[in-house]
Amino acid sequence: MKFVIQRVCEASVSVDAEVIGQIGHGLLVFVGVADSDDRQIADKMVDKLTKLRIFDDADGKTNLSIADVGGEFLIISQFTLYADCRKGNRPSFTLAGKPDKANELYEYIISEIKERGFHAEHGLFGAEMKVSLLNDGPFTILLDSDEIVR
Protein backbone atom coordinates (compact mmCIF):
# COMPACT_ATOMS: atom_id res chain seq x y z
CA MET A 1 0.00 0.00 0.00
CA LYS A 2 1.23 3.46 -0.81
CA PHE A 3 0.07 6.84 0.46
CA VAL A 4 1.23 10.08 -1.11
CA ILE A 5 0.47 12.69 1.53
CA GLN A 6 0.35 16.39 0.79
CA ARG A 7 -0.12 18.99 3.48
CA VAL A 8 -2.64 21.46 2.07
CA CYS A 9 -4.26 24.78 2.86
CA GLU A 10 -7.25 23.53 0.86
CA ALA A 11 -8.11 20.76 -1.61
CA SER A 12 -11.07 19.50 -3.58
CA VAL A 13 -12.03 16.71 -5.95
CA SER A 14 -14.54 16.91 -8.80
CA VAL A 15 -16.25 14.34 -10.99
CA ASP A 16 -18.04 15.53 -14.13
CA ALA A 17 -17.40 19.17 -13.14
CA GLU A 18 -19.17 18.69 -9.78
CA VAL A 19 -17.23 19.03 -6.52
CA ILE A 20 -17.78 15.83 -4.52
CA GLY A 21 -15.21 16.40 -1.76
CA GLN A 22 -13.60 19.51 -0.35
CA ILE A 23 -11.45 20.33 2.70
CA GLY A 24 -9.65 23.26 4.22
CA HIS A 25 -6.40 22.90 6.16
CA GLY A 26 -5.31 19.28 6.35
CA LEU A 27 -3.97 16.38 4.32
CA LEU A 28 -4.67 15.30 0.76
CA VAL A 29 -3.88 11.59 0.60
CA PHE A 30 -3.56 9.58 -2.62
CA VAL A 31 -4.01 5.87 -1.88
CA GLY A 32 -2.58 3.05 -3.98
CA VAL A 33 -3.44 -0.56 -3.16
CA ALA A 34 -1.58 -3.73 -4.19
CA ASP A 35 -3.01 -7.26 -4.30
CA SER A 36 -0.86 -8.23 -1.31
CA ASP A 37 -2.50 -5.58 0.91
CA ASP A 38 -5.10 -6.36 3.56
CA ARG A 39 -6.92 -4.68 6.47
CA GLN A 40 -4.04 -5.30 8.86
CA ILE A 41 -1.70 -3.36 6.57
CA ALA A 42 -4.33 -0.65 6.11
CA ASP A 43 -4.69 -0.32 9.90
CA LYS A 44 -0.95 0.22 10.33
CA MET A 45 -0.83 2.73 7.48
CA VAL A 46 -3.81 4.69 8.84
CA ASP A 47 -2.24 4.67 12.30
CA LYS A 48 0.99 6.13 10.92
CA LEU A 49 -0.92 8.63 8.75
CA THR A 50 -3.03 10.00 11.58
CA LYS A 51 -0.07 10.34 13.95
CA LEU A 52 2.45 11.94 11.58
CA ARG A 53 3.77 15.16 13.09
CA ILE A 54 4.05 17.24 9.94
CA PHE A 55 2.31 20.47 10.93
CA ASP A 56 4.17 23.48 12.28
CA ASP A 57 4.13 24.37 15.96
CA ALA A 58 4.48 27.94 17.30
CA ASP A 59 8.23 27.81 16.64
CA GLY A 60 7.81 26.71 13.01
CA LYS A 61 8.98 23.13 13.73
CA THR A 62 7.05 20.21 12.24
CA ASN A 63 5.93 18.93 15.61
CA LEU A 64 2.13 18.69 15.43
CA SER A 65 -0.20 15.99 14.12
CA ILE A 66 -3.38 16.55 12.15
CA ALA A 67 -5.36 16.05 15.37
CA ASP A 68 -3.32 18.77 17.08
CA VAL A 69 -4.24 21.32 14.37
CA GLY A 70 -7.86 20.22 13.82
CA GLY A 71 -7.12 19.32 10.19
CA GLU A 72 -9.21 17.42 7.68
CA PHE A 73 -8.53 14.62 5.20
CA LEU A 74 -9.27 14.33 1.49
CA ILE A 75 -8.70 10.71 0.42
CA ILE A 76 -8.28 9.88 -3.29
CA SER A 77 -7.80 6.42 -4.81
CA GLN A 78 -4.90 6.30 -7.26
CA PHE A 79 -3.83 3.01 -8.78
CA THR A 80 -1.13 4.80 -10.78
CA LEU A 81 1.01 4.84 -7.62
CA TYR A 82 1.83 1.27 -8.65
CA ALA A 83 3.04 2.20 -12.13
CA ASP A 84 5.96 0.06 -13.27
CA CYS A 85 8.16 2.09 -15.62
CA ARG A 86 11.16 -0.23 -15.77
CA LYS A 87 10.53 -1.45 -19.33
CA GLY A 88 9.77 0.79 -22.26
CA ASN A 89 8.04 4.13 -22.04
CA ARG A 90 4.50 3.02 -21.32
CA PRO A 91 3.84 2.27 -17.64
CA SER A 92 2.45 -1.10 -16.64
CA PHE A 93 -0.11 -1.23 -13.85
CA THR A 94 -0.07 -4.97 -13.16
CA LEU A 95 1.27 -4.33 -9.65
CA ALA A 96 -1.88 -2.39 -8.69
CA GLY A 97 -4.57 -4.24 -6.77
CA LYS A 98 -7.56 -5.63 -8.60
CA PRO A 99 -10.45 -3.14 -8.55
CA ASP A 100 -12.80 -5.02 -6.18
CA LYS A 101 -10.13 -5.54 -3.53
CA ALA A 102 -8.64 -2.07 -3.99
CA ASN A 103 -12.05 -0.41 -3.62
CA GLU A 104 -12.85 -2.45 -0.51
CA LEU A 105 -9.58 -1.36 1.14
CA TYR A 106 -10.02 2.24 -0.04
CA GLU A 107 -13.47 2.39 1.57
CA TYR A 108 -12.08 0.71 4.68
CA ILE A 109 -9.32 3.34 4.99
CA ILE A 110 -11.90 6.15 4.75
CA SER A 111 -14.09 4.52 7.41
CA GLU A 112 -11.10 3.96 9.74
CA ILE A 113 -10.04 7.61 9.48
CA LYS A 114 -13.61 8.72 10.27
CA GLU A 115 -13.86 6.21 13.12
CA ARG A 116 -10.82 7.88 14.69
CA GLY A 117 -12.82 11.11 14.85
CA PHE A 118 -11.47 12.94 11.80
CA HIS A 119 -13.44 14.73 9.13
CA ALA A 120 -12.68 12.93 5.86
CA GLU A 121 -13.91 13.72 2.38
CA HIS A 122 -13.10 11.45 -0.56
CA GLY A 123 -13.13 10.91 -4.27
CA LEU A 124 -15.06 8.31 -6.27
CA PHE A 125 -13.21 5.06 -6.82
CA GLY A 126 -12.55 4.36 -10.50
CA ALA A 127 -13.92 7.70 -11.70
CA GLU A 128 -12.14 10.28 -13.81
CA MET A 129 -11.41 12.88 -11.13
CA LYS A 130 -10.02 16.38 -11.13
CA VAL A 131 -8.10 17.19 -7.96
CA SER A 132 -7.27 20.76 -6.98
CA LEU A 133 -5.02 21.74 -4.12
CA LEU A 134 -3.09 24.53 -2.55
CA ASN A 135 -0.02 22.71 -1.21
CA ASP A 136 1.22 24.03 2.12
CA GLY A 137 5.00 24.16 2.14
CA PRO A 138 5.11 22.40 -0.26
CA PHE A 139 5.15 19.40 2.03
CA THR A 140 4.76 15.96 0.44
CA ILE A 141 5.55 12.55 1.95
CA LEU A 142 5.40 9.01 0.59
CA LEU A 143 4.37 6.22 2.97
CA ASP A 144 5.01 2.76 1.58
CA SER A 145 3.82 -0.31 3.49
CA ASP A 146 6.92 -2.16 2.32
CA GLU A 147 8.90 0.21 4.53
CA ILE A 148 6.33 0.90 7.28
CA VAL A 149 4.76 -2.52 7.85
CA ARG A 150 6.74 -5.38 6.39
Side-chain angles (χ1 to χ4, degrees), residues 84-111:
D84 182 350
C85 300
R86 291 176 290 180
K87 295 181 182 177
N89 295 316
R90 185 177 194 180
S92 167
F93 298 103
T94 58
L95 299 175
K98 292 181 182 45
D100 288 348
K101 180 177 185 174
N103 187 33
E104 184 260 319
L105 283 173
Y106 171 66
E107 294 292 335
Y108 178 75
I109 289 164
I110 294 165
S111 69

Side-chain angles (χ1 to χ4, degrees), residues 3-149:
F3 290 177
V4 172
I5 304 159
Q6 295 189 315
R7 191 176 71 186
V8 298
C9 296
E10 60 186 46
S12 65
V13 60
S14 301
V15 174
D16 296 328
E18 179 182 337
V19 174
I20 63 168
Q22 185 172 1
I23 64 167
H25 189 241
L27 298 175
L28 169 61
V29 184
F30 295 99
V31 176
V33 175
D35 278 331
S36 59
D37 293 328
D38 58 23
R39 286 183 176 210
Q40 184 178 17
I41 291 170
D43 287 339
K44 289 178 181 174
M45 293 289 283
V46 168
D47 190 56
K48 178 65 85 172
L49 171 68
T50 57
K51 292 178 180 176
L52 280 176
R53 297 184 337 186
I54 58 175
F55 291 90
D56 295 345
D57 64 15
D59 296 324
K61 305 264 188 218
T62 52
N63 231 1
L64 302 176
S65 71
I66 193 164
D68 296 329
V69 299
E72 304 172 292
F73 286 96
L74 178 57
I75 311 297
I76 307 293
S77 64
Q78 187 155 5
F79 76 95
T80 60
L81 294 179
Y82 277 96
D84 182 350
C85 300
R86 291 176 290 180
K87 295 181 182 177
N89 295 316
R90 185 177 194 180
S92 167
F93 298 103
T94 58
L95 299 175
K98 292 181 182 45
D100 288 348
K101 180 177 185 174
N103 187 33
E104 184 260 319
L105 283 173
Y106 171 66
E107 294 292 335
Y108 178 75
I109 289 164
I110 294 165
S111 69
E112 285 299 301
I113 290 170
K114 288 180 176 181
E115 191 169 297
R116 292 170 189 235
F118 294 100
H119 176 80
E121 300 277 321
H122 56 87
L124 181 61
F125 185 88
E128 177 74 25
M129 295 177 276
K130 305 294 183 208
V131 179
S132 297
L133 70 136
L134 180 56
N135 199 316
D136 182 15
F139 203 109
T140 304
I141 291 178
L142 172 64
L143 285 186
D144 188 329
S145 62
D146 287 341
E147 297 170 0
I148 302 298
V149 176

